[in-house]
Structure formats: C-alpha cells, structure tokens
C-alpha cells in the first residue's frame, strides 16, 4: 500500500461511543501511516447510500457495528464464507472498486483465548452461554479451530437449537467432527464439571449491571478456563467468581483488540501493533469509556 493518506472508518448507529477510532488511529500513527479513521453515524435507512459512498468517496475500508452487521451483507460484492455462515460482517474492504466483507469477531476471539490461556481446543469440551450474534461468530471459529465439543445454553432454548443446527451444517460442510449439543440452563449448571471451557456471550454483568452473573460457578474442573466477552467492566462478577473457584479467566478485551487487529491487517496488509492498540483502549476504558 502506498504512503498516501487514506480514509477508513466505522459505521454504526449510534457510534459516538465506539473505541474503534482511537484503536485504529493509534495503530496508523504507530506504524507511521498517514491514514485517518473516522466514526460515521449511519441511520438504518441510510445504510445503502453509505455503502455506495465507500466506493464513490474513495474510502478504503470500514468496520461495521450495531445495527448494520447483518443488513450490510447484500450490499457487498463478495462476502467470505465464514462471515456468510455467521450472517454478519464487521469489516468491509475496498479493492479495485469491489467491496469485500469479513467477520473478524470469531477469529479475534479464538486468537485472544489461545494467546492468553494457552488452551488446546482439540482437547476441550466447551459450554457457551448465549446464542446471539457474538455467540454465532465465536462458535463458528471454535469449530474451525477444532474444538472437541460444544454445548450451547441460552435463555430462549429455541434459538440455541437453531444455532446448533446451523453449526451442524457448517461442521458437515467443512468435514469437522465437533460434537454439538444444546442443554437446559439448569442442566448445564449441574454438569459444569464436564467442561474445560465456559464462554459467556450474553450482556449479563455488563456495566451498569455489574453485580449480575449468568450462572453460579460451584463445581468446575481444576484448570478450567472461564471466558467472558464483556470488556466493560474488564473483569465481570462472573470472572471474579470463577477465579475464586480456581478457574483461569479470560476477559473480552482481547477479543476486541484482536478483531480490530485482524481488520487493520485486512485494511493495510501491515501487521497490527497490538500492544499499542491495547494500551490505548485500556486507557480509554479506565477513563470511563464504553
Ligand atoms: P445479541 O445478538 O443481542 O445476543 C444476546 C444474547 O444474550 C442472546 O443469546 C440473549 O438470549 C442473551 N441474553 C441477553 N440478555 C439476557 C438476560 N438478561 N438473561 C439471559 N440471557 C440474555 O448480542 P451480541 O451482539 O451477541 O452481544 C452480546 C454481548 O457480547 C454484549 O455484551 C456485547 O457487548 C459483547 N460483545 C463483545 C465483543 C468483544 O469484542 N469483546 C464483541 C461483540 C459483542 P435470548 O436469545 O434469549 O434473547
């Protein structure tokens, strides 16, 4: 990529709270790239025009956040297979007049999990709490990285069931042997000793409801990893409780940084300065950002 200044950004609604601008701008500055990263507040009725505007204005890439991650898909020229399976795109890159869509949330999660905990996914039976957008992205990549088994629990049982069916189709297409099941919430609490990994993907425990936990950790395997994708607060009550019970804990900050780092690499073809991105985001969170 040349050294001429290029424009990147994030589109969402609302988007003023997004930490992506400080994270990406810090990365550009650290590598001496003269690029700019801007937050674009795009109302749902303007999404089509905004996506067309990427090409006409010469924007090179955007991150996509709530509520546009799903609706952006039909507006793109090409969408990578995992993002299509997930049904959501969080990174759009312009190349030679074409718009390509990716989802870096799931891969970002797995990279962070492995980096911080050293977990061996092919020897891991995981239980995932939640079946929403983030859960879908994470579970596709847990499968892709060879997790031994995945059990899903969710407040709305039918949604867990639907996700399990979609993952089973994905596993068959990709020739993966992951065992995928759905459990009642209470049943999972009783069986918690059978899992080596807990992945908490609901907003339970997120600021300002910081005292809430999705389930009581009472009987876990020694060395189990408990992971919560919330990063505000950095350590949720669930993680606190898990640590007291002897678990290795993993917070959502790493996922956020790594999904951004992967997007940065799609945008620039440069290796992302992860430490700098993390320290900028941490700084902002400690000052009370969301
Ligand atoms: P989503 O699509 O709305 O899904 C939310 C999930 O949580 C659903 O499974 C929902 O269950 C469940 N849920 C919500 N409130 C609940 C409650 N009070 N009790 C039990 N279950 C409840 O949301 P999302 O986009 O997946 O985001 C979920 C969380 O992940 C948010 O806290 C978000 O900040 C965080 N996140 C973090 C990162 C990161 O980079 N670290 C990235 C993305 C998301 P039902 O199906 O029953 O509604």
């Amino acid at each position: 990529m040349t050294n001429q200044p290029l424009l990147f950004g994030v589109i969402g609604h609302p988007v003023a709270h997004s930490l992506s601008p400080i994270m990406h701008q810090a990365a550009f500055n650290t590598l001496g790239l003269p690029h700019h990263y801007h937050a674009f507040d795009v109302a749902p009725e303007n999404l089509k025009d905004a996506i067309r505007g990427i090409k006409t204005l010469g924007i090179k890439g955007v991150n996509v956040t709530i509520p546009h991650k799903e609706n952006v898909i039909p507006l793109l020229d090409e969408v990578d297979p995992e993002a299509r399976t997930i049904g959501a795109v969080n990174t759009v890159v312009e190349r030679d007049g074409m718009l390509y869509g990716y989802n870096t949330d799931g891969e970002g999660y797995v990279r962070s999990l492995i980096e911080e905990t050293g977990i061996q996914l092919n020897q891991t039976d995981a239980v995932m709490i939640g079946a929403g957008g983030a859960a879908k992205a994470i579970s596709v990549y847990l499968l892709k990285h060879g997790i031994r088994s995945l059990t899903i629990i969710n407040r709305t049982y039918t949604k867990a069931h639907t996700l399990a069916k979609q993952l089973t189709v994905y596993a068959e297409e990709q020739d993966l042997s992951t065992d995928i099941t759905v459990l009642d919430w209470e049943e999972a609490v009783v069986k918690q000793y059978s899992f080596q990994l807990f992945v908490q993907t609901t907003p339970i425990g997120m600021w300002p409801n910081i005292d809430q936990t999705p389930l009581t950790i009472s009987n876990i395997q020694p060395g189990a990893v408990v992971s919560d994708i919330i990063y505000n607060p950095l350590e949720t009550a669930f993680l606190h409780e898990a640590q007291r019970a002897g678990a290795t804990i993993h917070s959502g900050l790493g996922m956020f940084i790594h999904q951004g780092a992967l997007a940065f690499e799609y945008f620039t073809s440069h290796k992302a300065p992860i430490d700098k991105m993390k320290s900028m985001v941490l700084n902002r969170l400690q000052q009370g950002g969301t």
Side-chain angles (χ1 to χ4, degrees):
M1 189 164 286
T2 65
N3 251 0
Q4 79 188 87
L6 301 171
L7 183 58
F8 298 88
V10 53
I11 60 171
H13 185 69
V15 80
H17 66 282
S18 172
L19 293 167
S20 292
I22 60 150
M23 179 166 72
H24 283 274
Q25 196 61 56
F28 292 146
N29 297 349
T30 302
L31 297 190
L33 298 169
H35 309 328
H36 296 284
Y37 191 101
H38 187 77
F40 297 99
D41 193 325
V42 175
E45 62 273 23
N46 295 328
L47 181 64
K48 200 170 174 181
D49 287 344
I51 296 301
R52 206 178 288 141
I54 295 175
K55 289 184 185 176
T56 49
L57 297 173
I59 295 170
K60 295 308 286 181
V62 292
N63 291 119
V64 182
T65 188
I66 292 169
H68 303 314
K69 286 184 178 187
E70 292 87 15
N71 294 337
V72 75
I73 288 184
L75 307 174
L76 303 175
D77 297 304
E78 271 190 35
V79 174
D80 115 311
E82 272 72 27
R84 210 168 266 293
T85 299
I86 294 163
V89 155
N90 75 340
T91 302
V92 174
V93 183
E94 188 275 343
R95 281 187 219 110
D96 302 323
M98 300 267 283
L99 296 181
Y100 297 86
Y102 305 93
N103 188 311
T104 66
D105 280 334
E107 179 67 20
Y109 173 79
V110 172
R111 282 195 188 184
S112 156
L113 179 72
I114 293 172
E115 180 187 281
E116 291 183 36
T117 69
I119 198 165
Q120 304 269 338
L121 291 178
N122 61 0
Q123 293 163 31
T124 298
D125 302 304
V127 59
M128 184 173 71
I129 309 163
K136 201 164 177 188
I138 287 170
S139 52
V140 164
Y141 278 86
L142 285 174
L143 259 64
K144 192 174 173 181
H145 283 270
I147 192 118
R148 186 167 59 196
S149 76
L150 181 67
T151 297
I152 307 169
I153 62 173
N154 193 46
R155 175 177 61 183
T156 311
Y157 185 83
T158 50
K159 282 200 202 164
H161 212 73
T162 303
L163 177 55
K165 272 207 244 162
Q166 291 167 332
L167 291 172
T168 303
V169 170
Y170 175 74
E172 278 166 12
E173 282 169 4
Q174 303 293 319
D175 207 13
L176 302 167
S177 56
T178 308
D179 188 17
I180 302 159
T181 30
V182 177
L183 274 189
D184 282 337
W185 202 287
E186 293 73 23
E187 226 180 317
V189 176
V190 173
K191 289 192 171 164
Q192 58 184 272
Y193 195 82
S194 39
F195 305 110
Q196 294 87 38
L197 172 65
F198 294 69
V199 186
Q200 195 311 100
T201 73
T202 77
I204 300 170
M206 191 163 77
W207 191 89
N209 302 312
I210 59 170
D211 294 329
Q212 295 179 356
T213 60
L215 53 84
T216 303
I217 296 275
S218 55
N219 180 26
I220 53 168
Q221 286 185 23
V225 172
V226 176
S227 170
D228 192 330
I229 69 165
I230 290 171
Y231 56 83
N232 189 15
L234 284 169
E235 195 176 309
T236 58
F238 185 54
L239 289 187
H240 220 72
E241 191 180 292
Q243 194 166 38
R244 276 204 307 271
T248 297
I249 59 168
H250 170 247
S251 97
L253 182 66
M255 172 179 174
F256 180 70
I257 303 300
H258 278 275
Q259 64 76 30
L262 281 162
F264 182 88
E265 288 165 14
Y266 278 124
F267 290 160
T268 67
S269 303
H270 285 281
K271 192 167 160 33
I274 288 179
D275 291 346
K276 183 67 187 175
M277 293 163 84
K278 191 170 182 177
S279 69
M280 287 301 287
V281 171
L282 256 179
N283 230 332
R284 181 58 66 91
L285 285 170
Q286 278 156 359
Q287 286 164 23
T290 58

